[in-house]
Amino acid sequence: YVYGTPGKGAGQYAHPAMMTVLLYVEREWQTGDHRKFGIGNISLAGGKVFEPHDSHQDGLQVDVRPLRIDGNHVPVKYFQSGYDKAATTRLISIFQSHPMIKKVFFNDSSLPGVRPMTSHDDHFHVELKITTK
């Protein structure tokens, strides 16, 4: 499912490489879990500055919500009771298994391979290795 700002998908313009990664992750995820995961901010059309982000201008970064135990499509912070740590760990590991993944930022530092980043308690941020220049 999609979420994010501004509404109606205006912040979800993705580089073709990001679309490839998202489709790969979605297919891998569906082999073991029926719940949908939330895709948030990617980029604005034309690479405009996307406040409050320092990135998200080239379609090579995506924000993704952690999974909830109840499967609802609303935010959950990693330290709240509705957070599904096991499922989120699996989802992040699927992202990390793709060769184009550069970094994953998320404030649940108990998960393997993630780095903390300010304001990343209720979503993780994935960056690809490729450049557009």
Side-chain angles (χ1 to χ4, degrees), residues 13-25 39 41-43 55-64 92 94-105 115 124-133:
Y13 284 83
H15 186 281
M18 177 58 77
M19 288 305 303
T20 299
V21 169
L22 292 175
L23 291 170
Y24 164 81
V25 170
I39 299 297
N41 295 336
I42 300 173
S43 182
S55 60
H56 290 274
Q57 287 185 275
D58 55 11
L60 297 173
Q61 303 85 28
V62 63
D63 291 336
V64 182
I92 289 174
I94 293 170
F95 273 99
Q96 292 169 328
S97 73
H98 196 283
M100 284 196 283
I101 300 303
K102 179 179 181 179
K103 300 176 192 171
V104 177
F105 294 100
R115 302 174 190 189
F124 58 93
H125 171 101
V126 177
E127 291 186 10
L128 299 189
K129 290 178 186 176
I130 68 167
T131 62
T132 58
K133 296 175 181 148

Side-chain angles (χ1 to χ4, degrees), residues 71-88:
N72 287 333
H73 298 174
V74 294
V76 64
K77 295 181 179 179
Y78 75 92
F79 50 81
Q80 293 177 320
S81 62
Y83 170 57
D84 190 335
K85 181 177 182 172
T88 301

Side-chain angles (χ1 to χ4, degrees), residues 109-127:
S109 59
S110 70
L111 303 186
V114 300
R115 302 174 190 189
M117 180 181 255
T118 303
S119 301
H120 285 72
D121 292 341
D122 64 353
H123 69 280
F124 58 93
H125 171 101
V126 177
E127 291 186 10

